[in-house]
Amino acid sequence: MRKTYWLASYPKSGNTWFRLLVANLRRDTPVDINDIPERSGIASARGAFDSIMMFPSALLTHEECDRLRPMVYEVLAEDDLEDPDEVETKIGHTRFVKTHDSYSYNPDGSALMAGAKGADGVILIVRDPRDVAPSLANHNRTSIDEAIAFMADAASNFCGHRDRQPNQLRQQLMGWSGFAESWLSQVDIPVHLVRYEDMHADTSGVLGGALAFAGIDAAPDETVRAAGFAEFGELKKQEEERGFREAPRPKMGKGPGSFFRRGVSGGWRDELDLDQIARIERDHAPMMARLGYAPAENAAVAKSAPPTQDRIERMTG
Amino acid sequence: MAAGVVGVMGIARLYQYTVSGLSVASELVLPGLIAAEDMPGVSPDVVIREGEVPGALEDVESLGPTWQVGKGRFLLEVPGILRMLLTEGREIVFATAEGVAREEATVFVSGTGFGILLHQRERIVLHASAVRVRDSAVLFCGPSGAGKSTLAAALSDAGYDLVTDDFCGIAMDADGLPWVQPDGRQLKLWQNSIDRLDMADRRAAPVRKVLEKFYVEPRAASTVALPLAAIYVLREARPPAVPGIQRPNIVDGALMVRGNAYRPAMVRRMNQQALYFQAAAAISQRAGVFTLTRELNFAKFPAVIGWLEAHWTELGLLEQAA
């Protein structure tokens, strides 16, 4: 029986790292970063939509696509595509599918991600918004201030252009707080919360916990090995040697950016000014508190914040 | 072909087109296709009309969420817009959803509908745009968004007549040589591309009222069948892929051709894998299959056209500069 788990995250929160960890499980050598699925690996890819519906998403408005997307996820959850363009991120019969879509409902009341018919659960990856901001600025080739404004905007999206064909279906992000809220408050599928900071502190343990949530038994030595293969230095080295196809695109005279930038938690302390820190904390105070990200003046407390995992798992069963 | 005439009865006005070498009589005005002379007494190969479309087929052989296949028939619904029934490669009957103008059906009938109809006729149909280079056609393949139409538009302005946009029918002649059947007189471009390519003065009707995508007149279009000289599979230059034109090995080239079928799932559902593989192998041998890897950046078009012209000279499609 095929199982599907969404890997949901606000952009720049560790989704690719998590997929690389999964891809490195039960391997003898580190996986090539350019071998993890790209186009078909994300829920907003156009290829699956076009091939399942038999007409192109490009001839529809974003709103029309949204209405039909649940059908696509239902079919994908049921079927093994006979001749997929790319392999998916899979362990056995369990698919892990990246998404930057917030959890939303169409005007007819159906869940965009098809609710329980689209997936068996979601691994929600969150990261301190103060670390997301500089990383997002680097990825989008914008200023940090623009990234902070983007994260605060509940109407923000990826691939939402109307005068050209975006390379993926539109993803409505709902802002940093709204994104996490949307996935945490839905009751259609169980949620397993992973904090980027906890992935840093105990990569193997967090990976093992997430895999267990998805019904996959992985022995500690297996997760330790995968964690080593997907260690930041290894990923960075691969990107420096051969490049990474998911790296930021060149923009206005700048060459391609690097995807694996710093790979740290708490880097915001030397990347943001006081005003920027204050803005992010003001924009996202309730969700930061809920996820255990303490305000700057109490930064020391953040490290000892109680894990929110137990509470969330209890909440969602 | 007499069976195709059945649908003509009772139709007030028919518009004549040539699509992929087929004569088409349509109740619907189909912008972007090649208008043809009315030939009294001659039955068209394909009839397109508005009419009753069943909600489901009786003898379903395979189905998806929006389509059903059964015994020479293909039923497709674009929810909220239209339903259409395609029969044995010779008839398309469409019905728009309540409150939807029939003009909204146009792009789905002429694009998706005709593409599937050509599959029913066991034609080789690739997701490709094509231009004429002297006496041959060269194709640009790739998934939706790969930049096929935009490149064809830039090339048409550089003096290479448009042959097809979006989908491309290929016929193999008695000697096994691939020929490209022209499909269109107009390009379909997004407003951003129209602006960047400076083609605003040639912008015609929107593809759909709700989309900022328009029919655009090319500088010139070719209406004769041309031998297929080269297929370029478009790739975005992102690491580790490097910019330039490369020739894959013959097996990879054949797989790329098959993978760029207009609807790969149709090839599977209609059990045409062998047909496509043979054609793809023949195309790989007779014509060149290449990858064209470049940045998705309008400023790079002159450079990319330069690479292509150098490559066409190398292939003997253009003569050497004196």
Side-chain angles (χ1 to χ4, degrees), chain A residues 34 52-56 58-61 64 68 71 75 82-83 162-165 242-245 247 249, chain B residues 65-67 76-79 112 144-145 190-192 208 210-212 236 238-240 263 265-266 268:
Chain A
N34 287 305
I52 287 169
M53 306 307 265
M54 291 272 190
F55 53 80
L59 286 180
L60 305 179
T61 62
E64 287 168 341
L68 303 178
M71 289 188 196
V75 170
E82 299 140 66
D83 189 13
R162 290 184 192 270
D163 67 342
R164 67 199 73 179
Q165 187 180 323
R242 294 191 296 278
F244 183 32
R245 62 187 177 185
R249 285 180 169 79
Chain B
T66 44
W67 50 270
L76 176 70
E77 179 178 17
V78 183
T112 302
S144 198
W190 291 91
Q191 184 61 49
N192 180 56
R208 285 183 65 202
V210 291
L211 295 182
E212 290 181 48
E236 185 183 358
R238 305 198 70 181
R263 290 277 163 250
M266 284 289 290
R268 290 194 300 273

Side-chain angles (χ1 to χ4, degrees), chain B:
Chain B
M1 285 303 154
V5 181
V6 176
V8 179
M9 306 304 287
I11 291 172
R13 167 112 200 245
L14 286 170
Y15 299 89
Q16 312 288 330
Y17 301 97
T18 303
V19 187
S20 276
L22 300 172
S23 60
V24 178
S26 172
E27 236 186 283
L28 198 59
V29 177
L30 299 171
L33 301 183
I34 299 167
E37 294 291 310
D38 191 8
M39 291 197 288
V42 179
S43 302
D45 297 319
V46 180
V47 171
I48 296 172
R49 64 181 176 90
E50 193 167 16
E52 293 268 315
V53 176
L57 295 181
E58 285 156 16
D59 46 3
V60 176
E61 288 160 9
S62 75
L63 80 168
T66 44
W67 50 270
Q68 301 186 345
V69 184
K71 261 198 182 159
R73 301 205 292 171
F74 192 97
L75 178 66
L76 176 70
E77 179 178 17
V78 183
I81 301 175
L82 85 161
R83 280 184 295 128
M84 55 182 158
L85 179 66
L86 295 81
T87 305
E88 290 172 355
R90 57 183 168 75
E91 187 186 51
I92 301 176
V93 181
F94 68 91
T96 53
E98 206 184 321
V100 173
R102 74 203 300 248
E103 290 70 33
E104 286 290 278
T106 306
V107 73
F108 295 100
V109 170
S110 66
T112 302
F114 221 93
I116 294 172
L117 183 121
L118 289 173
H119 276 290
Q120 282 185 327
R121 284 183 165 256
E122 303 211 325
R123 290 289 187 91
I124 302 301
V125 200
L126 299 186
H127 211 178
S129 293
V131 298
R132 176 178 187 154
V133 178
R134 293 285 154 86
D135 298 319
S136 314
V138 301
L139 265 59
F140 300 95
C141 289
S144 198
K148 299 181 291 293
S149 295
T150 321
L151 183 55
L155 283 165
S156 85
D157 265 18
Y160 301 95
D161 300 352
L162 180 71
V163 178
T164 70
D165 184 36
D166 197 34
F167 72 89
C168 182
I170 297 170
M172 310 298 285
D173 71 11
D175 298 324
L177 288 167
W179 287 74
V180 174
Q181 303 275 8
D183 275 323
R185 277 197 179 280
Q186 288 181 315
L187 292 148
K188 295 185 282 292
L189 294 175
W190 291 91
Q191 184 61 49
N192 180 56
S193 297
I194 293 170
D195 292 342
R196 303 295 297 268
L197 294 168
D198 204 14
M199 292 183 172
D201 56 335
R202 282 178 276 157
R203 198 184 91 170
V207 167
R208 285 183 65 202
K209 284 196 305 272
V210 291
L211 295 182
E212 290 181 48
K213 188 177 192 179
F214 299 86
Y215 292 104
V216 174
E217 295 288 340
R219 192 197 46 75
S222 167
T223 54
V224 296
L226 296 166
L228 169 53
I231 294 179
Y232 296 89
V233 179
L234 298 180
R235 297 261 163 95
E236 185 183 358
R238 305 198 70 181
V242 291
I245 294 170
Q246 286 183 318
R247 180 169 209 146
N249 68 48
I250 200 153
V251 175
D252 287 348
L255 289 171
M256 280 179 197
V257 172
R258 197 181 59 166
N260 280 288
Y262 183 68
R263 290 277 163 250
M266 284 289 290
V267 175
R268 290 194 300 273
R269 300 285 179 182
M270 298 174 85
N271 290 317
Q272 295 177 349
Q273 291 98 327
L275 177 75
Y276 266 78
F277 200 81
Q278 282 160 14
I283 291 167
S284 292
Q285 276 172 345
R286 302 280 188 165
V289 178
F290 307 92
T291 54
L292 169 58
T293 309
R294 82 279 182 246
E295 281 177 40
L296 293 182
N297 182 342
F298 287 91
K300 305 277 180 183
F301 269 125
V304 171
I305 292 173
W307 301 348
L308 284 167
E309 288 177 334
H311 197 233
W312 295 337
T313 305
E314 212 178 289
L315 295 175
L317 304 180
L318 289 178
E319 55 273 337
Q320 304 272 347

Side-chain angles (χ1 to χ4, degrees), chain A residues 221-288:
Chain A
D221 63 312
E222 291 179 316
T223 56
V224 166
R225 197 172 161 82
F229 284 168
E231 192 262 322
F232 185 78
E234 163 66 25
L235 305 180
K236 181 101 182 144
K237 186 181 93 196
Q238 282 197 30
E239 181 174 25
E240 278 165 5
E241 284 171 4
R242 294 191 296 278
F244 183 32
R245 62 187 177 185
E246 295 182 33
R249 285 180 169 79
K251 189 177 181 182
M252 288 189 286
K254 300 178 195 171
S258 70
F259 185 92
F260 300 106
R261 203 176 56 101
R262 293 186 68 188
V264 296
S265 56
W268 57 271
R269 288 184 178 82
D270 57 47
E271 290 192 283
L272 302 182
D273 62 33
L274 289 175
D275 176 57
Q276 290 169 332
I277 294 167
R279 273 166 60 206
I280 295 172
E281 292 177 354
R282 196 170 57 237
D283 291 342
H284 303 292
M287 187 52 72
M288 285 179 72

Side-chain angles (χ1 to χ4, degrees), chain A residues 141-212:
Chain A
R141 315 312 282 272
T142 65
S143 69
I144 289 176
D145 288 323
E146 284 170 290
I148 291 170
F150 185 85
M151 290 166 67
D153 179 2
S156 55
N157 58 65
F158 272 5
C159 301
H161 286 293
R162 290 184 192 270
D163 67 342
R164 67 199 73 179
Q165 187 180 323
N167 59 353
Q168 291 176 18
L169 301 173
R170 180 185 62 177
Q171 299 139 72
Q172 293 191 304
L173 297 166
M174 293 189 185
W176 182 85
S177 291
F179 185 93
E181 171 67 32
S182 74
W183 283 99
L184 289 172
S185 62
Q186 60 79 30
V187 290
D188 296 338
I189 52 173
V191 182
H192 178 87
L193 184 74
V194 166
R195 297 197 324 163
Y196 179 88
E197 295 72 18
D198 297 335
M199 279 173 73
H200 263 282
D202 176 15
T203 311
S204 153
V206 169
L207 174 62
L211 291 175

